Structure formats: C-alpha cells, structure tokens
Amino acid sequence: MDDATRTEVEAAAFRRLRQHLLDDRPDAQNIDLMNLAGFCRNCLSRWYGEAAEARGVPMTKEEAREAFYGMPFDEWKARHQQEASPQQRDAFQTSFAKNVGAEG
C-alpha cells in the first residue's frame, strides 16, 4: 500500500470510529471509555487539535472539541453525559494519571 492510500485508509477508519462514538454509541460514557481503554472522545479531540497544530493550523482546545464532536462540547455533555458514580470517578483518577499524566 502506498503512503497516500494508507493515509486515506487511516483517515476513513478515524472517521468511522468518530461516527461510531458520536452517532452509534453516544451512550458509551467518556469516563467508561477512559477507565477501560485509556482514551475517550476528549482524547481524540485533543489528538485532532495536536495534529492540526503540527501542520500549522492553530486550534484551541474548544475548537478541537467542537470539530470532533460536531457541536460545542457543553451541548454534547448536556445531551449525552451522565453523572459519574464515585467508583467511576475513583477509577478515572488512576486511568487519567496513567494515560494522560498528572498535568493533563
């Protein structure tokens, strides 16, 4: 596979993952994704912004989230995010430190 085709395939796979997380499974909570897999939608939006910045496209955290979520993050949270249980929050502290770092 040549580099251009590989990039197209990777981009298509990313778009399908995004669709799955936003449209097919909005019920899968970010905190559960983070606790289980070590990343969530917010991580994907951060990586999106970092990739844009690396290519000379300035993007704030809020702009990256809106680009990924397809709406302002606060709107996404109001529509889909549920209150985390104490157990989920405890597990998140460990997962966040391990996967993102203390600074975030």
Side-chain angles (χ1 to χ4, degrees):
M1 184 181 303
D2 62 66
D3 286 344
T5 302
R6 181 182 47 79
T7 298
E8 290 174 12
V9 169
E10 290 171 351
F14 173 81
R15 287 190 295 270
R16 183 61 185 96
L17 172 62
R18 181 181 175 274
Q19 176 189 338
H20 183 75
L21 292 172
L22 297 178
D23 299 334
D24 302 340
R25 290 303 307 270
D27 60 312
Q29 295 295 296
N30 276 343
I31 196 165
D32 292 326
L33 293 170
M34 188 68 179
N35 290 345
L36 180 63
F39 78 98
C40 67
R41 294 172 188 87
N42 292 335
C43 297
L44 289 165
S45 72
R46 188 180 78 244
W47 298 337
Y48 184 94
E50 289 170 356
E53 290 276 344
R55 286 154 184 81
V57 179
M59 188 170 283
T60 66
K61 177 180 177 179
E62 291 76 24
E63 290 169 335
R65 281 186 173 179
E66 188 164 344
F68 182 82
Y69 282 93
M71 65 184 71
F73 182 57
D74 287 340
E75 185 177 334
W76 169 267
K77 287 192 315 186
R79 287 185 186 188
H80 302 289
Q81 189 165 304
Q82 300 170 7
E83 186 67 32
S85 71
Q87 295 83 4
Q88 287 172 311
R89 288 192 298 272
D90 289 345
F92 177 78
Q93 295 304 318
T94 302
S95 181
F96 188 88
K98 179 179 179 182
N99 294 293
V100 180
E103 306 268 331

Coordinates of all heavy atoms in Angstrom, one line a residue, residues 13 18 28 31 35 38 45 48 52 54-56 58-59 63-65 67 71-72 76 84 94 96 100-102:
A13 N -10.8 5.2 8.6 CA -11.0 4.4 9.8 C -11.3 5.4 11.0 O -12.1 5.1 11.8 CB -9.8 3.6 10.1
R18 N -15.1 7.8 14.8 CA -15.8 9.0 15.3 C -17.3 8.9 15.1 O -18.0 9.1 16.1 CB -15.3 10.3 14.5 CG -16.0 11.5 14.9 CD -15.4 12.7 14.0 NE -16.2 13.9 14.4 CZ -17.3 14.2 13.8 NH1 -17.9 13.5 12.9 NH2 -17.9 15.4 14.2
A28 N -22.2 5.3 25.3 CA -20.9 4.9 25.9 C -20.2 6.2 26.5 O -19.8 7.1 25.8 CB -20.0 4.3 24.9
I31 N -16.1 8.6 30.5 CA -15.4 8.1 31.7 C -15.2 6.6 31.7 O -14.2 6.1 32.0 CB -16.1 8.5 33.0 CG1 -15.1 8.4 34.2 CG2 -17.4 7.9 33.2 CD1 -15.6 9.1 35.5
N35 N -11.7 4.7 31.5 CA -11.4 3.7 32.5 C -11.0 2.4 31.9 O -10.1 1.7 32.4 CB -12.5 3.6 33.5 CG -12.6 4.8 34.4 OD1 -11.8 5.7 34.5 ND2 -13.8 4.9 35.1
G38 N -8.3 3.7 28.3 CA -7.2 4.7 28.5 C -7.3 5.9 27.5 O -6.4 6.7 27.4
S45 N -10.3 14.3 20.5 CA -10.4 15.7 20.1 C -9.1 16.4 20.3 O -8.6 17.3 19.5 CB -11.6 16.4 20.7 OG -11.3 16.6 22.1
Y48 N -6.7 15.4 17.7 CA -7.1 16.1 16.4 C -6.5 17.5 16.4 O -5.9 17.9 15.5 CB -8.6 16.2 16.4 CG -9.2 16.8 15.1 CD1 -9.6 16.0 14.1 CD2 -9.4 18.2 15.1 CE1 -10.1 16.5 12.9 CE2 -10.0 18.7 13.9 CZ -10.3 17.9 12.9 OH -10.9 18.5 11.7
A52 N -3.6 19.1 14.0 CA -3.8 20.4 13.3 C -2.6 21.3 13.6 O -2.0 21.9 12.6 CB -5.1 21.0 13.6
A54 N 0.4 20.7 14.5 CA 1.6 20.2 13.9 C 1.7 20.5 12.4 O 2.8 20.5 11.9 CB 1.7 18.7 14.2
R55 N 0.5 20.7 11.9 CA 0.5 21.1 10.4 C 0.3 22.6 10.2 O 0.0 23.0 9.1 CB -0.6 20.3 9.7 CG -0.1 18.8 9.6 CD -1.2 17.8 9.5 NE -0.7 16.5 9.4 CZ -0.3 15.8 10.5 NH1 -0.3 16.3 11.7 NH2 0.1 14.5 10.4
G56 N 0.5 23.4 11.3 CA 0.5 24.8 11.2 C -0.9 25.4 11.2 O -1.1 26.6 10.8
P58 N -3.6 26.6 13.7 CA -3.8 26.9 15.1 C -5.2 26.4 15.5 O -6.2 26.6 14.7 CB -3.7 28.4 15.2 CG -3.3 28.9 13.9 CD -3.4 27.8 12.9
M59 N -5.3 25.8 16.6 CA -6.6 25.3 17.1 C -6.6 25.3 18.6 O -5.8 24.6 19.2 CB -6.9 23.9 16.5 CG -8.3 23.4 16.7 SD -8.6 21.8 15.8 CE -8.9 22.5 14.2
E63 N -12.0 24.6 20.1 CA -12.2 24.5 18.7 C -12.0 23.0 18.2 O -12.8 22.5 17.4 CB -11.2 25.4 17.9 CG -11.5 26.8 18.0 CD -10.5 27.7 17.4 OE1 -9.3 27.3 17.4 OE2 -10.8 28.9 17.0
A64 N -11.0 22.4 18.8 CA -10.8 20.9 18.5 C -11.9 20.1 19.0 O -12.4 19.2 18.3 CB -9.5 20.5 19.1
R65 N -12.4 20.4 20.2 CA -13.6 19.6 20.7 C -14.8 19.8 19.8 O -15.5 18.9 19.4 CB -13.9 20.0 22.1 CG -13.0 19.3 23.1 CD -13.4 19.6 24.5 NE -12.6 18.8 25.4 CZ -12.7 18.9 26.7 NH1 -13.6 19.7 27.3 NH2 -12.0 18.1 27.5
A67 N -14.8 20.6 16.6 CA -14.6 20.0 15.3 C -14.8 18.5 15.5 O -15.4 17.9 14.6 CB -13.1 20.3 14.9
M71 N -20.3 19.8 17.5 CA -21.1 20.8 18.3 C -20.3 21.2 19.5 O -19.3 20.6 19.8 CB -22.4 20.1 18.8 CG -22.2 19.0 19.8 SD -23.8 18.2 20.4 CE -24.2 17.3 18.9
P72 N -20.7 22.3 20.1 CA -19.9 22.8 21.3 C -20.0 21.6 22.3 O -21.0 20.9 22.5 CB -20.7 24.0 21.8 CG -21.4 24.5 20.5 CD -21.7 23.3 19.7
W76 N -22.8 18.8 23.8 CA -22.7 17.3 23.8 C -22.9 16.8 25.2 O -23.7 15.8 25.4 CB -21.3 16.9 23.3 CG -21.0 15.5 23.6 CD1 -20.4 14.9 24.7 CD2 -21.4 14.4 22.8 NE1 -20.3 13.6 24.6 CE2 -21.0 13.2 23.5 CE3 -22.1 14.2 21.6 CZ2 -21.2 11.9 22.9 CZ3 -22.3 13.0 21.1 CH2 -21.8 11.8 21.8
A84 N -21.2 10.8 36.8 CA -20.3 9.6 37.1 C -20.5 9.2 38.6 O -20.7 10.0 39.5 CB -18.9 10.0 36.9
T94 N -7.1 7.2 38.5 CA -6.0 6.3 38.2 C -5.7 6.2 36.7 O -4.6 6.3 36.2 CB -6.3 4.8 38.7 OG1 -6.5 4.9 40.1 CG2 -5.2 3.9 38.4
F96 N -6.5 8.3 34.3 CA -6.1 9.6 33.7 C -4.6 9.8 34.0 O -3.8 10.2 33.1 CB -6.9 10.8 34.3 CG -6.6 12.1 33.7 CD1 -7.3 12.5 32.6 CD2 -5.6 12.9 34.2 CE1 -7.1 13.7 32.0 CE2 -5.4 14.2 33.6 CZ -6.1 14.6 32.5
V100 N -2.8 9.9 30.6 CA -2.7 11.3 30.2 C -1.6 12.0 30.9 O -0.8 12.8 30.4 CB -4.0 12.1 30.3 CG1 -3.9 13.5 29.9 CG2 -5.1 11.4 29.6
G101 N -1.5 11.7 32.2 CA -0.4 12.3 33.0 C -1.1 13.2 34.0 O -2.2 13.6 33.9
A102 N -0.3 13.5 35.0 CA -0.8 14.4 36.1 C -1.2 15.8 35.6 O -2.1 16.4 36.2 CB 0.2 14.5 37.2

